[in-house]
Amino acid sequence: MRKTTEVAVIAELSQNWLLYAAIPVIGALIGYVTKRVAIEMMFRPVRRTLGWQGVVPKHSGRIAGIAAELLTSRLIDPREVLDRIDVDRINTEIEQPLLNAVDAIARDVITEHHPTIWESLPPLAQDMVIKQVQAASPHIVAQLLSELRENIDAVVDVKQFALAQLTRDDDRLVRIVRELARPELTFIARSGIWLGFVIGMAQAVVWALTKEPLVMPIFGAAIGLLTDWLAITLVFRPREQVSILGWRVQGSFHRRRTEVAHRCARLIADEVLTVPNMLAAVLSGPRADRMLALIQDVVADAVNEQTRVFRPLLAATGGNVAVGQLHRAAALKAMPVIPDAARNANGYLTNAMDVAGMIERRMLALPATEYESVLRPAFKQEEPKLIAVGGVIGAVIGELQLLLLLA
């Protein structure tokens, strides 16, 4: 009886070898298609459409929150970053824009608050006052940077700043995650091909032995479910390199740590923790009032020192000078012009602070579990749904495969 069955199976395979050869090929197709669908569902659509929203944009707040926590607690030290800035170099880089800004601010503030006193001064005296104020500008920059180092936590919430930058634009977060995970996404798609092919070979044998119609959709669903789960698992497991039958095996994301650290550092430095973004956070963020107070104190100290010899002259021209009022007005006018004045130094600041280098070095030193959290949350959200969709698509393709075999 067994021999008769074997002969019948061999005869069936010989007669319909093309159809049976197609079964593992279709299995590979199922594996690939279900992976591609799962990958696209992770990122698209960015806005909810027909009841579905991409996993990353839907959970952008949680994903960005985990990233911001890791970034600010383990990868970035704001004080260390600021310590790398050379004040003399900064003053050299922004000298002319700074002098122009000080000139404009000083004239505007004095004209606005004490027009009579200012207009009564001869042009030469006005220029001397302005030049004395300008002479204080290097000291203002140095003192401001020193105060910022000491009070950075009071002036800006770095974690909130990073979170705001990551969630400000869903497209940006999707682009960062997709770029960071590109090799893993390629691995997942390609693994579906060979995993689907192997399972498809078993499917061909079972079909030849049983001719049971349910074999095709069941195996199709199994290919979709199993290959989706296995492909995602192999991205992160095992964390540490292990030897299996002489093969060294490690999750692809962990195996690529050096490359990932470099790429992640560049993405964060180029798109999130940029010099303009950091200046905006300090000058117009939720704690901007504290920065204003800091600037006002620094301006007051420097300007008082430089202009004390002119106070009798200013007072003699017609009234009392409300010095404190002038300091606050000057600080208010300085806040919006600082980014423009600092633009000439953006290149130097980017290189000197070396945010990318700091992130890369610290990421390489992270324990495996913390390093994994750079990308794992993006895959973990809605993972069961993505795998289930793979199973449904596999079952549908398996049913179509059955119709082809019975045709």
Side-chain angles (χ1 to χ4, degrees), residues 132-149:
Q132 285 298 112
V133 176
Q134 287 177 325
S137 57
H139 176 72
I140 291 174
V141 172
Q143 189 61 29
L144 195 56
L145 185 56
S146 176
E147 292 290 337
L148 194 56
R149 287 191 187 109

Side-chain angles (χ1 to χ4, degrees), residues 20 23-25 27 194-207 219 223:
Y20 282 97
I23 291 176
V25 173
W194 55 266
L195 288 171
F197 187 85
V198 170
I199 298 174
M201 292 176 67
Q203 180 184 18
V205 173
V206 173
W207 171 257
F219 264 85
I223 291 172

Side-chain angles (χ1 to χ4, degrees), residues 92-369:
T92 300
E93 294 283 344
I94 67 173
E95 180 180 14
Q96 198 54 53
L98 182 61
L99 292 177
N100 293 339
V102 169
D103 186 315
I105 290 171
R107 292 180 188 277
D108 286 349
V109 169
I110 298 175
T111 301
E112 181 180 337
H113 290 270
H114 297 284
T116 303
I117 295 176
W118 186 247
E119 290 171 7
S120 65
L121 291 175
L124 181 60
Q126 291 180 355
D127 289 341
M128 290 178 68
V129 171
I130 296 299
K131 288 188 183 302
Q132 285 298 112
V133 176
Q134 287 177 325
S137 57
H139 176 72
I140 291 174
V141 172
Q143 189 61 29
L144 195 56
L145 185 56
S146 176
E147 292 290 337
L148 194 56
R149 287 191 187 109
E150 295 298 320
N151 301 281
I152 185 64
D153 292 331
V155 171
V156 61
D157 184 334
V158 180
K159 179 180 175 181
Q160 190 59 41
F161 158 64
L163 181 61
Q165 287 297 319
L166 288 169
T167 57
R168 188 177 65 181
D169 180 2
D170 284 342
D171 290 329
R172 171 190 284 178
L173 185 61
V174 167
R175 185 174 63 255
I176 289 175
V177 173
R178 190 158 200 159
E179 183 64 28
L180 192 60
R182 189 173 299 279
E184 276 62 47
L185 300 178
T186 301
F187 167 79
I188 287 172
R190 290 177 179 173
S191 68
I193 297 174
W194 55 266
L195 288 171
F197 187 85
V198 170
I199 298 174
M201 292 176 67
Q203 180 184 18
V205 173
V206 173
W207 171 257
L209 290 171
T210 65
K211 292 295 193 302
E212 170 58 54
L214 289 177
V215 166
M216 293 304 170
I218 289 175
F219 264 85
I223 291 172
L225 290 168
L226 183 59
T227 57
D228 272 17
W229 172 80
L230 191 57
I232 293 174
T233 299
L234 290 175
V235 168
F236 301 103
R237 297 292 184 275
R239 290 191 178 116
E240 304 296 338
Q241 192 176 89
V242 298
S243 180
I244 300 178
L245 299 177
W247 289 78
R248 292 184 176 181
V249 179
Q250 187 178 20
S252 64
F253 189 64
H254 292 278
R255 189 174 62 250
R256 287 194 320 113
R257 182 187 284 231
T258 300
E259 178 188 344
V260 169
H262 178 74
R263 187 61 188 146
C264 181
R266 283 260 55 97
L267 285 168
I268 296 299
D270 293 345
E271 300 208 29
V272 180
L273 301 182
T274 65
V275 172
N277 286 349
M278 288 188 278
L279 276 175
V282 169
L283 298 172
S284 57
R287 300 179 183 178
D289 58 326
R290 301 179 189 183
M291 186 63 186
L292 175 64
L294 193 152
I295 291 175
Q296 184 176 336
D297 290 342
V298 171
V299 167
D301 291 342
V303 172
N304 286 345
E305 179 65 25
Q306 292 293 328
T307 61
R308 59 184 176 180
V309 296
F310 291 98
R311 281 183 213 151
L313 174 62
L314 293 171
T317 57
N320 294 321
V321 179
V323 177
Q325 192 177 46
L326 293 181
H327 294 158
R328 179 170 177 80
L332 282 169
K333 288 184 179 293
M335 294 276 279
V337 304
I338 287 176
D340 286 335
R343 187 172 291 122
N344 283 11
N346 280 356
Y348 163 71
L349 288 171
T350 299
N351 293 330
M353 293 190 296
D354 191 22
V355 170
M358 179 181 289
I359 293 174
E360 182 175 354
R361 288 188 296 274
R362 294 189 172 199
M363 187 176 288
L364 289 172
L366 286 176
T369 51

